[in-house]
Amino acid sequence: MSEDNFMVALGDAFRGLSFVRLKRAVRLGVRSLWLHRLRSLLTMLGIVFGVCSVIAMLAIGEGASYEAQESIKTLGSQNIILRSVKPPEEQKPSDKGNQSFVLQYGITYADVKRIRATIPGVTVVLPGRNIREYVWNISRRMDCELFGTVPWYPEMRNHRVAAGRFFTDNDMDEQRSVCVLGAEIAPALFPIDSPLGRHVRVGGNYYQVIGIMEPRTVVAAKDAGAEANKSSLPRLYIPLETAKLRYGEVLMRRRQGSFEAERVQLHEVTIKVETLENVLSVAEAIKEVLERNHKKKDYMIDIPLEMLRQAERTKQIFNIVLGSIAAISLLVGGIGIMNIMLASVTERTREIGIRRALGARRRDIIVQFLVETVILSGAGGALGVLLGVIIPFVVSYAAGMKTIITFWSPVLAFGISALVGIVFGIYPAIRAAQMDPVEALRHE
Amino acid sequence: MPAPIVHFENVRKTYQMGPVTVQALRGVTFEIHAGDYISIMGPSGCGKSTLLNLLGCLDRPTSGHYRLGGEDVSQMNDDALSAVRGARLGFVFQSYNLIQQLTVVENIEIPLYYQDRPEAQSRAMACRMAARVGLEQRLDHKPFELSGGQQQRVAIARALVNEPLVILADEPTGNLDSASGTEVMKLFDELHNQGKTLILVTHDPGVGQRAHRTLRLRDGEIESDVRR
Ligand SMILES: Nc1ncnc2c1ncn2[C@@H]1O[C@H](COP(=O)(O)OP(=O)(O)O)[C@@H](O)[C@H]1O
Ligand SMILES: [Mg+2]
C-alpha cells in the first residue's frame, strides 16, 4: 500500500461520516467484540495495566512528594537552619590529655552576633538549645529533649500551639519555669486530665505547663535532614534564658562509667531571610562567615528552600521516568491490539467481501475496524482509570501512604489510550479496506 | 423498445499473471432489458465469473464500456462503484455468504445500512422481504440454525431489499440438494413473474433452461445467445 493511498484512505474515512452511521458502527463494533469476549478482554489488558499503573504510580509519587514538600515548607522556605554537630571522633578530649575535659563545639552566640552584624537581609534569628532529660509527672516518665528557645519560635517555624499559649518575652526575661509540651508528651504524661496549669518535673526542677504544641508529621522530622538524628525524641519547650540558668553552658554526661562534658552554646539557630530571592546568597555568606571562625566542621547548614528545589527536581525526574514507563506499556498494549486486529481482519476477510459487495465503501470498512480498536483501547483505558483511581485509595488505606490523584493524570492516561487505539488501529483497518472485493469474497 | 438496463460494449478483461497475460473476456457485447431472465453458461474457465464480477461492479473492465441503467460505470472510482452496488444491484452467491454473527433480519438489512436508511424503515423493509421468501418465523435466527435452502432464501431476500435494477446470482443452487434447489428456482421464477431482472450463472442445464434467454460463453467470447 503506497503512502499516498494510505493518506487518501484515511482522509476518506472521516469525510461524509454521519452521526447515525458512526452510532451504528459503534454498536456493530461492540457486538463483534462481545462475540469474542475473552479475546477482547485479553487484548485490552495491556492498555488496562498501562493506564492503571501510570495513574496509581503518579498518585503515590505525587503524595510522597507533597508530604516531603509540606514538611520542608514547615521549616520555612525563607529560613536557613544552622545546627551544631559533634566534630569527628579523633577530636575526643582523651586524645589531648593536656587540654580540658570539656569538649567544646558548635555554634556560638558570637557566631550569631557576627551574622547579624555583617550580613544584610537577615531579619530574625531563632536560637535553640537541646538538653536530653527525663520528664516526670509524679510516677510517669518520658525520655524527652528539652528545647530552650525564644518566644517567636512558633511563628518562625510554622509550628502552632494547639492549646494554651507559648511563652512570652516576660517568661523569658524573668527566666520563669514554664514549659510547652510537644504533642506526644501530653497524652503520655497526662492520660486523663488536661496538663495545662499542672507541673512536670525535670531533674530537680518543676515547670508549669502553659501550652501544648500541634503535632508535627513523622515524615517532617525524617525529611528535615539532620533534625531526624535528634528529634525522634519528643520535645519540651522552655525559655532559652531558663535553660541557660538551669544548665549553664556545660553539659555533663555520664557514659559507661566515665564523665563526658560538652560545651555547646547553641544547638540550633534558625535565621530568617527578608526575601525569598536572597535566601541562597545569604546562605553563601553565612557559610563563609562560619568557615572563617570554625576550624573544625562542627556545624551544619540546612536550607529548606534548596531542599524544596531538590524535591521538585526529584519529582520531575520521577515523572519523566514514569512517563517513559507509561509510554512503553501503552506501546506494548497498542502493539497487542494491532496484532489482534490484523488477525481479526484476516479472519473476517469474507465478511469484508460481503459488505463491500452490498455497498460498503472503503471508508465504511475502515470505520468499522477503527471503531473496534478505539472501543477496545477506550474501554481498556476506562477500566485502567478506574483501577488506577482505586489502587491509590487502597494503598493509602493499607500502607498509610498519602496519595494524590491530580485531575489531569486520568484524563491524560485515558486520552493517550484512545490515541493508541487510533494509531494502532489504522493500519489493520486500512488493510481491511484495501482488499479487493472479488478476492475477499473468494476467501475461505 | 425501451433503453436496455445493461449494455456491454466490446468489454475486455485481461489478467496479468507475471509474464503471462490471460484474456478472460475478449470483447463481449450484449444488452439486457428490464424484466429479462438470463442464464450465463459455459465450460469451466470460459469467463463466467469474470463476466459476473464486471456485471456486479466488483471489478472494472480492462477496456470497453458497461452502461448500467444508462450510466457508464466502466471507469467509476471505488466509492462510486460501491454506491452503485449498494443501490442498483442485488447479489446471490453459491455459498450464501451470510454474515454468521448477524441474525436473519440483520443480514437482510445490510444493503440498507449502507444506504443510510432510517433504522425503523430498514427493519420494516427487511421483515417484509423475509416474509416474501417465507422466513417471517425465522427473523431472529442465526444463519447456522437454518438449512441451506433457507439460508439461500435469506440471501435472496437480502438481494431484493434495496429494490435493485438487476439481481445477479452465481450458481445459486450449486450448494443445495435438488429439493431446496427447486424451491429456490421457483422463487426466481416468481421474481421474474413480478418483473424483476435476473442474471444467473450456472453449470446445471436444468437450471439454465428455466431462464428465457441463455448466453453461452467459450474462451472469453459469446458463443451463442438463445431466446426462448
Ligand atoms: N484474478 C485472476 N487472475 C488471473 N487470472 C484469472 C483471475 N480470475 C480469472 N482468471 C482466469 O480467467 C479465465 C476465466 O476465469 P473465470 O471467469 O473464473 O471462469 P469460470 O468462472 O467460467 O470458470 C480463467 O482462465 C482464469 O484462470
Ligand atoms: Mg467460476
Side-chain angles (χ1 to χ4, degrees):
Chain A
M1 187 189 322
S2 77
E3 185 91 347
D4 223 25
N5 271 348
F6 189 90
M7 294 318 291
V8 169
L10 202 61
D12 273 356
F14 297 98
R15 227 183 308 123
L17 177 67
S18 66
F19 177 71
V20 178
R21 225 184 248 207
L22 190 65
K23 200 177 78 184
R24 288 178 179 183
V26 170
R27 215 184 305 149
L28 190 70
V30 169
R31 257 182 82 167
S32 139
L33 293 172
W34 185 249
L35 201 69
H36 304 283
R37 288 178 279 278
L38 183 64
R39 186 164 84 180
S40 304
L41 188 73
L42 293 176
T43 310
M44 250 163 45
L45 281 186
I47 299 287
V48 172
F49 290 143
V51 167
C52 140
S53 60
V54 170
I55 296 173
M57 285 163 83
L58 271 179
I60 292 167
E62 193 74 26
S65 96
Y66 174 82
E67 288 211 321
Q69 295 196 16
E70 277 308 291
S71 70
I72 293 167
K73 274 184 200 149
T74 63
L75 295 176
S77 43
Q78 261 162 278
N79 291 350
I80 295 167
I81 300 165
L82 310 179
R83 291 174 216 280
S84 298
V85 251
K86 199 176 200 169
E89 284 297 298
E90 76 253 28
Q91 262 129 12
K92 272 211 287 211
S94 51
D95 295 345
K96 304 176 179 179
N98 56 337
Q99 284 187 5
S100 95
F101 279 87
V102 178
L103 174 63
Q104 193 170 345
Y105 69 87
I107 296 156
T108 61
Y109 292 105
D111 287 330
V112 173
K113 213 184 260 171
R114 260 194 295 272
I115 287 166
R116 294 196 73 156
T118 56
I119 302 171
V122 170
T123 51
V124 198
V125 176
L126 177 87
R129 267 175 68 86
N130 299 326
I131 303 113
R132 189 171 166 173
E133 281 274 23
Y134 285 123
V135 177
W136 296 80
N137 173 29
I138 313 183
S139 62
R140 288 176 198 279
R141 185 184 77 171
M142 199 172 186
D143 194 5
C144 290
E145 184 177 75
L146 258 64
F147 188 64
T149 186
V150 288
W152 55 91
Y153 167 88
E155 178 202 353
M156 209 167 145
R157 295 293 291 270
N158 300 324
H159 190 187
R160 270 177 306 220
V161 179
R165 61 177 180 87
F166 209 73
F167 41 82
T168 59
D169 286 336
N170 255 346
D171 297 323
M172 177 98 158
D173 294 343
E174 293 172 20
Q175 303 181 324
R176 285 197 191 129
S177 293
V178 291
C179 70
V180 178
L181 304 183
E184 313 91 326
I185 306 178
L189 292 187
F190 299 90
I192 301 164
D193 43 354
S194 164
L196 291 179
R198 307 276 299 274
H199 286 80
V200 292
R201 182 170 68 82
V202 181
N205 307 304
Y206 284 89
Y207 296 83
Q208 187 181 22
V209 178
I210 56 170
I212 303 163
M213 300 303 285
E214 277 186 350
R216 316 208 80 169
T217 52
V218 183
V219 186
K222 234 183 263 166
D223 280 336
E227 204 171 22
N229 311 339
K230 300 174 172 179
S231 298
S232 28
L233 281 179
R235 268 181 170 179
L236 186 77
Y237 300 82
I238 59 173
L240 183 60
E241 294 300 323
T242 313
K244 270 195 224 166
L245 173 75
R246 297 269 187 258
Y247 297 95
E249 263 153 26
V250 182
L251 276 181
M252 299 292 282
R253 273 191 201 150
R254 196 197 295 270
R255 207 176 269 174
Q256 290 171 342
S258 71
F259 276 112
E260 199 178 285
E262 288 179 3
R263 187 201 299 271
V264 180
Q265 292 185 0
L266 290 167
H267 288 94
E268 193 181 297
V269 177
T270 305
I271 294 160
K272 186 159 191 172
V273 181
E274 226 158 42
T275 56
L276 208 56
E277 300 85 72
N278 287 342
V279 169
L280 295 180
S281 59
V282 168
E284 274 310 305
I286 291 174
K287 239 179 245 174
E288 257 171 52
V289 168
L290 290 178
E291 258 165 34
R292 232 179 295 132
N293 294 292
H294 290 249
K295 283 191 217 68
K296 311 171 271 186
K297 177 88 170 125
D298 54 358
Y299 58 88
M300 266 179 53
I301 304 179
D302 284 341
I303 308 158
L305 184 69
E306 210 174 67
M307 295 177 354
L308 201 63
R309 297 254 162 90
Q310 187 59 48
E312 272 160 14
R313 271 195 295 275
T314 310
K315 187 182 145 195
Q316 257 170 24
I317 293 170
F318 187 71
N319 282 351
I320 289 170
V321 170
L322 260 184
S324 320
I325 293 173
I328 291 168
S329 64
L330 286 173
L331 187 75
V332 171
I335 291 171
I337 288 187
M338 181 148 122
N339 189 16
I340 290 295
M341 288 315 290
L342 282 173
S344 168
V345 165
T346 308
E347 197 176 273
R348 288 154 70 185
T349 301
R350 191 68 170 264
E351 177 187 336
I352 295 164
I354 297 169
R355 289 184 181 277
R356 294 281 278 130
L358 300 183
R361 297 164 303 178
R362 289 212 159 113
R363 73 184 81 155
D364 295 318
I365 301 297
I366 289 184
V367 167
Q368 183 184 342
F369 281 91
L370 204 52
V371 159
E372 275 188 32
T373 38
V374 172
I375 291 172
L376 264 185
S377 60
L383 210 62
V385 166
L386 193 72
L387 281 180
V389 169
I390 291 172
I391 287 174
F393 274 109
V394 175
V395 165
S396 46
Y397 182 76
M401 280 167 73
K402 186 172 182 66
T403 56
I404 297 170
I405 297 166
T406 48
F407 163 75
W408 55 267
S409 81
V411 173
L412 189 78
F414 182 78
I416 290 178
S417 69
L419 196 71
V420 162
I422 293 172
V423 168
F424 287 92
I426 278 175
Y427 177 67
I430 287 183
R431 270 268 288 261
Q434 294 292 332
M435 279 182 191
D436 176 33
V438 175
E439 299 287 333
L441 279 169
R442 212 183 293 154
H443 189 267
E444 260 327 300
Chain B
M1 207 174 196
I5 286 181
V6 168
H7 184 108
F8 258 54
E9 193 185 321
N10 198 21
V11 168
R12 290 172 187 278
K13 182 71 187 177
T14 54
Y15 293 107
Q16 197 69 41
M17 299 195 48
V20 186
T21 305
V22 181
Q23 298 216 326
L25 290 178
R26 311 160 182 260
V28 175
T29 303
F30 64 93
E31 288 180 353
I32 294 171
H33 290 269
D36 275 1
Y37 185 4
I38 297 180
S39 62
I40 298 174
M41 300 185 72
S44 180
C46 67
K48 303 186 294 293
S49 298
T50 305
L51 180 56
L52 200 73
N53 290 339
L54 291 178
L55 280 167
C57 293
L58 292 165
D59 209 351
R60 275 179 288 239
T62 311
S63 72
H65 290 280
Y66 169 22
R67 268 189 290 279
L68 177 65
E71 200 179 358
D72 193 340
V73 298
S74 39
Q75 298 308 323
M76 277 185 172
N77 69 20
D78 192 85
D79 273 4
L81 285 179
S82 301
V84 168
R85 288 194 297 264
R88 322 198 116 185
L89 298 169
F91 290 88
V92 178
F93 302 93
Q94 177 172 357
S95 49
Y96 329 131
N97 275 345
L98 302 177
I99 295 177
Q100 295 302 314
Q101 63 265 33
L102 300 183
T103 63
V104 165
V105 69
E106 286 165 342
N107 263 291
I108 298 175
E109 268 178 349
I110 297 173
L112 301 176
Y113 178 99
Y114 292 111
Q115 303 290 311
D116 285 333
R117 301 281 177 91
E119 268 170 76
Q121 190 192 334
S122 21
R123 182 54 56 108
M125 283 174 81
C127 290
R128 198 137 33 85
M129 288 306 143
R132 182 157 175 188
V133 298
L135 288 171
E136 63 271 34
Q137 304 298 322
R138 300 293 165 98
L139 292 180
D140 294 321
H141 286 233
K142 293 282 173 70
F144 60 83
E145 295 165 336
L146 304 179
S147 72
Q150 287 172 322
Q151 289 192 51
Q152 194 60 301
R153 270 153 48 203
V154 175
I156 292 169
R158 185 177 68 185
L160 291 171
V161 77
N162 56 348
E163 287 164 354
L165 283 178
V166 184
I167 294 164
L168 302 163
D170 191 358
E171 301 273 11
T173 56
N175 282 11
L176 300 175
D177 58 79
S178 63
S180 324
T182 312
E183 219 177 293
V184 164
M185 287 320 294
K186 268 193 197 141
L187 194 52
F188 275 118
D189 291 348
E190 266 173 45
L191 294 177
H192 169 67
N193 291 336
Q194 288 160 9
K196 301 284 176 198
T197 311
L198 303 167
I199 303 176
L200 51 93
V201 165
T202 183
H203 265 112
D204 185 343
V207 171
Q209 296 311 315
R210 298 178 85 115
H212 297 184
R213 181 180 163 196
T214 300
L215 278 180
R216 210 167 272 284
L217 290 185
R218 176 174 289 278
D219 288 340
E221 290 179 89
I222 295 179
E223 188 188 46
S224 67
D225 183 350
V226 184
R227 288 166 194 272
R228 274 179 294 276

